[in-house]
Structures are given as C-alpha cells and as structure tokens.
Amino acid sequence: MFRNYLMTALRNHLRQIGFTLISLAGLMLGLAVATLALLHVWQETHFDHHVPSHERIFLVETERSQPGRSDQLLLTAPGPLAPTAAETIDGIEKAVRVWQAWYTLSVGERLEFNYPLAAVDTDFPAFIGLEMIEGSIDALANPSAALVSKSMAERLFGEGPYLGQILTLGGYREVEISGVYEDFPTTSHMDTQVMLSMASPAVTDRRVQFETNWNTFGLYTYLRLAPSANPSAVGDAIEALAHRNVRPADGVRIEDTLRLSLEPLTDLHLNGKDYAQRPTEVVGNRTAIVIAVTIALLVLVVACINAINIATARSADRAHEVGLRKVVGASRSQLVVQFLGESALLVLVAMVGALVIVELTVGPAGDFIGRTFSLSVLLQPGALALFALLIIAVVLLSGLYPAFVLASFKPARIFQPATPRRGFSLRSALVVFQFVTSICLMVMAGTVWQQVRYLETADLGFNRKDVILLFGTRRGPEGTIQLTRSLKQAIGGKPGIVDISGTHSSPSWDYADEANLRRAATPRDASTTVDRLAVGTDFFDVLLIEPVAGRAFDMDYGPDRAQWDYANRSQVELPLILNMAAVSTLGYAAPEDVIGEAMNFELSAGDDRASRVVGVVPDFHFKSLKSKIRPMVFFPDPSRFNAMMVRIDGDRRDEAIASLEAGWDQVLQGQALSRAYLDRELVTQYVSEQRQFTVLAALAGVAVFIAMLGLVGLLAHAVTSRRREISLRKVLGAEVRDVLRLFLWQFSRPVLVAVLIAWPIAWILAERWLSGFAYRISLAWWIFVGAGLIALGITWALTAAQVLKVSRTMPAQVLQAR
C-alpha cells in the first residue's frame, strides 16, 4: 500500500514537473528561513546552558538609588560579599568572583594591544566548567600564573608551545601561561580570553581592595545554590548582609539606597535589563527575536500558500483520476491520505534542499545579526523535536486543504460542463495574504533603511569628522592628571594636530554621569538632575562648538587652571558651562541671564562644590539619537579623564597619525596605542538598526520572490487552461492587448486589495518601531507607494509574459487540438 502511494505521488509530481518545481522552490526557501529562525531562537534561549548546574547559578544584582538621580542597576557587588556570604548564609554551595580591567599585553619586545582581562577566584575555572586543552584547571592557585583561550594563545604565540610562555602586562608585570582552554561557546554570557588570579601582582598593583572594601561595587559575584535552597530567601539574606556592611552617605538610610537580589544565570542574556556594565557586550533582545520569528513564519506561510494555490488550481486536471478511484471503491479518507502523502513527499524533498541552503547561508546569516550559527544545533533532542514539529506543520498547512478539495469531487459531476466561478475565491484571498506580507516587509525595510540613514548622517550639533579618540589614559586621580597633561604636551602642536583635550566620556559611548545642580540660594530639595561631563579646556574647540553666551574653558582663567591642582582645587570655585536644555530647566529665559550665576554642583554623594556658570553652549547630541537631549553641565576635571580627543588636519592625516604615535610612545612606552575615529565610532551606536534593515530587506526579498513563484504558477495554469477562450477571442477579432487587458485586471484585483490592506498595517508597524527613537524620520509616502507599485509591477510583468506566450499560438492549432 505504501509503495503504491509513493509511486502514485512521484508520478503525479513528475507529470507536471514545472508546477512541482515552483511549489518546491517556494517551500525550500520558506523552510530555509524558518530553520534559520529556529537556530536563532534555540541559541538565544539556551545561553549558558553549557555551564555545570546552570539552573542553580545566580549572579548578585545591585540597584543603587540616590536622591534626585536615576536608579543605577549593576551586575556587580562588593568584593567581600562572596566569601562572607559563603561562610554565613545557608543554601550557598559555592561563591566565586570575577573582576575585569584593561591591560596592555606584550610578548618579549613585541607590544601587542590593550585587552580586557579577568581576575578570578581560584575556583572560578572549575565553577564555570572551563574546558582545558593544556595545563591544570587549578593553575591559578599560583598568583603568577595565567590561563589563556586557544584563540588568544595562537594570536600571542603562534603554533606554540604555550605552557611556560611569558606574557607581560602593563609593560612590567610578567605572568606565566600555565593553561590553555577552549574558547567560550558563542552562547556564553562572557568571552574572557585571559584569566589571572585575583591575587596576581598585576591586579593588586592597581590598589584594589577586594577583600576589605564593601563600598566598591566592582566584582561579578556568582553563587551556586544548594538544590534545596530558596533563591528568594538567599537573596534577602544577601541584601541584609550588604546593609550591615556597606557604609551609606551621611544622613541616608542604607535600606533606602541599596537593594540586592539574585539574577539567574540563564536569564541574563534575555532579561532586558539595562546594566551599567556586563561581562560581555553580547546582549539578547526578546522583542527582536519575537519579531524575527514572526516574520520568518510569515515567509513560510507564504510558501505554503504557494503550494495550496497551485494544488487547488490543478484540481480540475485530476478530477478524472479522483472520479475513477471513487468508482472502483476508494473512500474519501483514502484519497485524503494519498494527497497528504503527495504533500509530505514534496515537503520532505524541500526540507533536504532547505538544509543545503541553510548550510550554505548559515555563516552570512549569523553575520547579519551578529551571532554565530551552526546547523549542528539540530542534533540536540529538543531542537530536533521542534524541527520535526515544524515539518509536520508545513505538511498539514500546505496539504490538508488541497487534499480535502481534491477528495471532495463527486464522480457524477465530473463530466458535467464546468461552471465559471465568479467573485473573490479563497485562492484570491491567499494571494492577497501573500502580497500583504510582502508589501508590509518592503515598507518596513524601507522605513528602517531611511531611519538608519538619518541616524548616521544627522547633524549632531558638533563636527564629528577628523576627530580621533585615544583610550587607556585613566589612572588614579593624580596619575590621570599628570598623564593627560604629559600626553597633551607631547602631542599638541605637532604636525597635523589641530587640538587635543581630555574627556570623561565620548559622544560615541552613549553615556554620561548624573549629578544634582541647584542655584546657590535654593534649598537642597530644589535640585535638578542633570547629565555631567568632565572635560578639558579645549573640549569645545575639538568638537568645533561655539558658546552662545559667556565663554568656553580656558587655561588663562584662574578657576579653570586651578582644577589641575588636585590638592587645593576644592577651595576654588568650580567653573561650569551649561547647555541650553539646562538653562531652560533652571528657569532662565535667556542664556545670557545665567552667566555669572552661583550654583551648587554635586560632584559625588554629599560633596557639593561651590560653582559658577561661565558659559552656555547650544544643545548637541552627546548621547545617541535614541535619547532626547537632556540638561547637561560641563566642568573641567582632569582627574576623571577616560580618553583624549584629538582633532587632526584631514589634509595631513598621515603626519597627524605619526605625531600621535610619537607622542604616545614618548609618554607611555609600555602601553600600546588604542585609537579610533569618532565618526566611525558614532555609527556603531546603530549596529542593531543596521542589522534589522539587513534582515528585513533579505526577508522581504525572499517573500517577494516566493510570491512571484506562486504567481507564475497560477498564471501559467490560468492562461493555459483558457487557451481555447483566448483563441476564440482572437478569431472573433480581439487583439492581443484586449486579451492582455482582461488578464491584467483579473490578476491586479487581489494585488490592489492587498495594497489597501497592507498600507495601514505597515503604517502602524512602522510607527511603533520609530517610537523607540527620540529623534526620527517622518514616514515617507513614497515608501508605501513604491512597495505597492513594485507588487503591481511584478504582477503585470508576469501576466504579460504568460499571455503573450500563449497569444503567439495560432488559433487553428489550439481549436483543432480538441
């Protein structure tokens, strides 16, 4: 029986191979897109599942509040918390810590690069399930040892050997490579390439007091709970422990400002929380996953609709077969099984083709969204089960309705003259759905592309070109002042260098501290929350920003110059420059009115500095265009500089780079130069949007192509089945254009209906997406019209091709054939 069904299915598919190939191509593409979506979802929802006992591992999460400021969410905790909690709180099986910092790596006389290293507790490698290739997993018991990943070992030392090699950190501290481990999986929340002991001299040299300082929240703290432990109860105990040991600011209750809780390790990737810092920048987006999966499934549905439409369009061709089978005793259920079997055979062949497509495109597809995909994920039982359910769903979706339609033919009516069907059939409704999906995807792709272009080219209020960022200048307060002063002297004024200034943050980092600001005569509770930025005196010259009132910072002014005297500067009034948003927030009508006004400015909790406004600058976008411009205060403080900003002469770029390198080597011989162009860094703020455009454009192209395939099949069948009608019309005097007009109208109607349905849906979707940006484009009418015209143009082109092909046949040949 099965062999009979299989042979019948093969014979029917091969009999009209053209229609079979159209259905097959659509299903292959749809299944390929759906399979890629499945790989994406599986990996995104299984982050850190490789870690032993991952379901019992938690990180300590800290939320800090200060009056008048936004709450700060941290994934780090005080250093002494982990060992103290492990000793005093029931339910904690193991506690380990990780501290991250940037170091310059050197091998022999070869200066390598600045790279983030992780200082960890000795038990951390075993805790995280590190897979060792060489050396012992306990090697970090030696404070002078280091572990490196396989890729880092190859990068540093080539083909090896690796064990026993010496790596120099920061130009003078040597560590010995005592182990090499496999790179962390791409589904890991961390991607540490070098591990040191927490007791390493390279770490303790930085004056970190992990074991005693409860007020420095700088360590990632991992807890593995006992199987019977209650995470909520352990979290409450952790919070109580911190409240007993962390010293609050004067006059503030610790319970009001500090909250600790436990965050499951496996939830970290998709929890959507905005931490100030994470172990890695790889962060998932649950909403983006839902959108991508929804679109992928819609593309698959479009492919299934192709198969449905072509199968039902060919139903009349198989009426005699159905009638004869029923006459000789076949039941309706047997016919349904037969036709479902034909659909299953088609889907299984499409599945093989789809897996080939996935294997060929899995690399580029991963690059599109910044992930690494592997088809081997389907070998996991859970993923394989989901894939099998997907195939079954496609078989039923693409084959169930055609099977019932074909099996419903009655033998007595097969030889009766066919009555033309009028009105809007289910087949037309399915075509409408296909084009609604395609038009919506085209509109969304066009909207995302237009918004990305706007983000990348918008006027930010400063000149972003020819500005270079130099990293790695932060030391202790006095060390930072001395280092940045020396760098400015070594680089400033050299060939190709226009201006140089230090800064606490960069416009490309999308980050600024918060502070409280109030007029000197007002009470503390009247403070305004503002963004603040410590800058050098040439900061506004580097960005080519002119004050609208007052002056910029200048070393010729005593209060400005005094901020470089770390020991005595607190006795000198702090000069401030406000942006226009801060002027308005403070209640001044014009920028000139605030010049010379005395202010109280909060540098840190409980530390208000007497300050005076010396200038006002226009509002400019220091953060990304996803955020509105906030009130912002600029003040000179070289002890806070994290980077240097250098404006170069664009026409003397090579000379400028040589000057930077020479000046850097003069001051920091043991540290590699880390630099980046500001304009390029600004573009990276919108990488996710660029990826969204790429994915949408690709999926829109696939959906349109599949819809075209289906339309080709429907047109070919419709035109071929009406060859006699076309011939008779030509005999009676109709021109080819008359026949063409008839078919154009017939196949344009569902597309026009799709356009009218798709436009409002696409408008709602585009508006919702754009609402996530504080600064955005207005929806362009031409994107909507263009998507509709593309759909209509494709329909007209395909219709004309089919009609003209049939119209070339002589009427006598067609009429004699019957």
Side-chain angles (χ1 to χ4, degrees):
M1 178 68 73
F2 174 77
R3 182 175 179 276
N4 181 48
Y5 279 154
L6 179 61
M7 294 305 296
T8 302
L10 284 171
R11 187 165 51 249
N12 283 318
H13 282 310
L14 294 174
R15 184 178 299 154
Q16 291 187 322
I17 188 66
F19 293 110
T20 298
L21 290 177
I22 289 173
S23 297
L24 186 63
L27 287 172
M28 284 172 56
L29 288 173
L31 281 170
V33 170
T35 303
L36 287 170
L38 173 61
L39 296 179
H40 180 43
V41 171
W42 185 265
Q43 292 190 184
E44 290 293 288
T45 55
H46 285 73
F47 258 63
D48 295 305
H49 280 227
H50 64 281
V51 178
S53 303
H54 57 264
E55 70 282 356
R56 295 191 284 120
I57 295 179
F58 297 79
L59 278 88
V60 177
E61 182 181 278
T62 304
E63 186 176 2
R64 304 182 71 182
S65 303
Q66 294 187 35
R69 292 194 190 181
S70 302
D71 291 347
Q72 186 181 34
L73 189 62
L74 305 172
L75 200 56
T76 51
L81 180 67
T84 307
E87 292 177 3
T88 60
I89 298 176
D90 292 335
I92 298 179
E93 191 173 274
K94 191 71 177 177
V96 294
R97 303 164 298 175
V98 175
W99 177 74
Q100 289 184 328
W102 286 78
Y103 287 83
T104 295
L105 309 184
S106 304
V107 178
E109 298 298 320
R110 178 164 52 94
L111 197 63
E112 288 292 336
F113 41 77
N114 291 322
Y115 207 84
L117 276 60
V120 302
D121 285 326
T122 303
D123 297 335
F124 179 78
F127 180 93
I128 207 73
L130 210 61
E131 185 178 346
M132 299 299 296
I133 300 174
E134 295 184 75
S136 169
I137 201 168
D138 300 318
L140 293 184
N142 176 5
S144 298
L147 304 180
V148 296
S149 68
K150 180 182 177 181
S151 61
M152 179 60 77
E154 292 172 350
R155 181 175 181 178
L156 292 172
F157 307 109
E159 296 182 358
Y162 303 129
L163 297 187
Q165 294 278 7
I166 300 300
L167 181 64
T168 304
L169 307 179
Y172 70 100
R173 278 296 181 189
E174 294 184 348
V175 293
E176 181 179 338
I177 305 302
S178 302
V180 179
Y181 56 88
E182 286 285 0
D183 288 39
F184 280 89
T186 58
T187 53
S188 173
H189 76 287
M190 66 186 309
D191 186 27
T192 299
Q193 302 293 319
V194 181
M195 290 187 191
L196 310 175
S197 166
M198 201 79 78
S200 171
V203 177
T204 57
D205 280 352
R206 296 204 175 189
R207 300 180 181 177
V208 288
Q209 299 174 335
F210 295 139
E211 310 303 332
T212 59
N213 190 344
W214 281 87
N215 278 72
T216 300
F217 292 75
L219 279 81
Y220 299 105
T221 301
Y222 297 78
L223 306 178
R224 185 172 66 230
L225 304 189
S228 60
N230 183 336
S232 179
V234 174
D236 291 341
I238 288 284
E239 183 177 71
L241 176 63
H243 285 170
R244 291 194 298 269
N245 290 278
V246 176
R247 179 173 54 82
D250 294 341
V252 177
R253 294 178 68 249
I254 188 65
E255 292 81 2
D256 297 333
T257 62
L258 181 64
R259 291 170 293 280
L260 276 75
S261 59
L262 300 186
E263 180 68 16
L265 175 66
T266 52
D267 290 354
L268 188 62
H269 183 65
L270 289 175
N271 64 12
K273 297 181 180 179
D274 187 17
Y275 297 111
Q277 185 178 359
R278 286 176 176 263
T280 178
E281 295 181 358
V282 177
V283 181
N285 186 321
R286 194 180 298 274
T287 301
I289 291 173
V290 171
I291 292 172
V293 171
T294 301
I295 294 174
L297 291 178
L298 284 174
V299 171
L300 182 58
V301 170
V302 168
C304 291
I305 288 173
N306 271 2
I308 293 171
N309 278 342
I310 291 175
T312 55
R314 293 169 53 197
S315 60
D317 299 336
R318 304 191 64 180
H320 286 78
E321 175 193 345
V322 173
L324 288 173
R325 284 182 176 274
K326 284 191 172 183
V327 166
V328 297
S331 66
R332 183 176 181 180
S333 60
Q334 288 175 322
L335 291 171
V336 168
V337 170
Q338 175 193 332
F339 294 131
L340 270 178
E342 293 180 12
S343 174
L345 178 62
L346 189 67
V347 172
L348 289 176
V349 175
M351 179 196 72
V352 175
L355 291 177
V356 173
I357 293 174
V358 170
E359 180 63 27
L360 295 174
T361 59
V362 71
D367 293 339
F368 278 170
I369 58 175
R371 296 287 190 270
T372 301
F373 288 161
S374 173
L375 199 55
S376 62
V377 168
L378 293 181
L379 298 178
Q380 300 182 34
L384 185 60
L386 282 176
F387 185 67
L389 288 174
L390 177 68
I391 297 301
I392 294 171
V394 172
V395 170
L396 295 176
L397 183 60
S398 63
L400 202 57
Y401 174 73
F404 277 101
V405 168
L406 290 168
S408 66
F409 285 127
K410 299 184 182 303
R413 301 179 60 183
I414 288 175
F415 296 103
Q416 293 179 1
T419 303
R421 299 184 62 182
R422 304 294 181 187
F424 211 71
S425 65
L426 177 61
R427 196 180 307 148
S428 297
L430 295 177
V431 172
V432 168
F433 180 85
Q434 286 183 308
F435 277 98
V436 166
T437 302
S438 301
I439 292 168
C440 286
L441 288 174
M442 284 190 284
V443 170
M444 285 301 300
T447 301
V448 174
W449 169 76
Q450 195 179 19
Q451 176 68 10
V452 169
R453 281 197 61 196
Y454 169 74
L455 294 173
E456 293 177 349
T457 60
D459 182 6
L460 302 180
F462 60 87
N463 191 321
R464 67 178 92 183
K465 291 189 63 177
D466 299 325
V467 175
I468 295 179
L469 299 170
L470 306 181
F471 309 118
T473 61
R474 188 67 181 263
R475 302 290 187 272
E478 293 183 83
T480 301
I481 293 174
Q482 181 58 45
L483 173 60
T484 53
R485 177 190 284 127
S486 299
L487 277 174
K488 184 169 183 177
Q489 292 172 349
I491 296 173
K494 297 299 189 293
I497 305 299
V498 178
D499 271 308
I500 180 171
S501 177
T503 179
H504 178 68
S505 183
S506 161
S508 59
W509 294 354
D510 199 20
Y511 163 78
D513 277 339
E514 286 186 342
N516 290 331
L517 178 70
R518 59 187 172 90
R519 300 189 194 190
T522 58
R524 182 182 293 272
D525 58 9
S527 295
T528 297
T529 302
V530 297
D531 286 347
R532 68 178 182 185
L533 185 68
V535 299
T537 53
D538 296 308
F539 176 80
F540 297 106
D541 293 330
V542 169
L543 295 182
L544 302 184
I545 298 174
E546 294 290 336
V548 296
R551 63 175 179 85
F553 297 127
D554 196 316
M555 293 295 277
D556 289 338
Y557 291 87
D560 299 15
R561 187 172 58 253
Q563 306 310 314
W564 270 252
D565 183 359
Y566 185 74
N568 302 307
R569 64 183 184 175
S570 60
Q571 310 303 317
V572 180
E573 207 169 47
L574 180 66
L576 304 178
I577 292 177
L578 313 182
N579 68 351
M580 289 295 294
V583 172
S584 300
T585 302
L586 290 170
Y588 291 95
E592 293 79 9
D593 298 340
V594 74
I595 301 300
E597 290 287 290
M599 299 281 170
N600 275 327
F601 183 56
E602 182 189 39
L603 284 179
S604 58
D607 180 16
D608 285 1
R609 284 281 297 274
S611 310
R612 192 168 301 276
V613 179
V614 300
V616 175
V617 294
D619 289 335
F620 64 94
H621 294 279
F622 191 80
K623 293 183 178 180
S624 77
L625 295 174
K626 300 176 187 178
S627 308
K628 283 191 173 293
I629 293 177
R630 285 172 42 86
M632 196 164 189
V633 176
F634 305 88
F635 63 103
D637 186 351
S639 67
R640 300 171 183 258
F641 292 166
N642 287 319
M644 304 291 284
M645 300 176 67
V646 185
R647 174 163 291 282
I648 65 172
D649 185 342
D651 296 329
R652 304 172 64 188
R653 190 175 301 272
D654 292 341
E655 289 182 84
I657 298 302
S659 296
L660 287 178
E661 293 173 346
W664 185 274
D665 290 341
Q666 178 183 332
V667 178
L668 291 166
Q669 293 182 358
Q671 181 173 327
L673 172 63
S674 294
R675 59 183 174 88
Y677 286 95
L678 177 60
D679 53 355
R680 297 177 188 173
E681 291 289 294
L682 287 168
V683 172
T684 63
Q685 293 178 320
Y686 310 111
V687 168
S688 63
E689 286 74 25
Q690 293 167 341
R691 288 172 177 162
Q692 286 177 31
F693 164 69
T694 304
V695 171
L696 276 171
L699 291 178
V702 171
V704 170
F705 183 71
I706 293 174
M708 285 173 55
L709 287 176
L711 194 58
V712 167
L714 288 177
L715 282 165
H717 187 274
V719 174
T720 302
S721 63
R722 296 173 66 180
R723 291 175 68 194
R724 284 180 60 82
E725 176 190 340
I726 294 172
S727 297
L728 286 170
R729 287 179 180 273
K730 290 177 67 177
V731 168
L732 295 174
E735 298 288 340
V736 172
R737 63 173 178 271
D738 299 318
V739 178
L740 182 58
R741 189 183 303 116
L742 176 68
F743 279 88
L744 284 177
W745 173 240
Q746 177 185 342
F747 283 94
S748 294
R749 280 184 300 170
V751 177
L752 291 172
V753 172
V755 168
L756 294 177
I757 295 173
W759 278 353
I761 295 175
W763 185 87
I764 293 170
L765 294 175
E767 278 290 335
R768 290 192 62 179
W769 184 79
L770 288 171
S771 65
F773 298 89
Y775 300 91
R776 43 157 287 187
I777 61 168
S778 297
L779 284 176
W781 63 266
W782 57 266
I783 293 179
F784 292 80
V785 173
L789 290 177
I790 289 173
L792 202 57
I794 289 171
T795 303
W796 287 355
L798 295 177
T799 303
Q802 291 291 337
V803 171
L804 292 174
K805 178 181 177 182
V806 173
S807 297
R808 293 193 189 100
T809 306
M810 297 296 292
Q813 296 176 358
V814 176
L815 296 175
Q816 288 176 1
R818 295 291 288 262

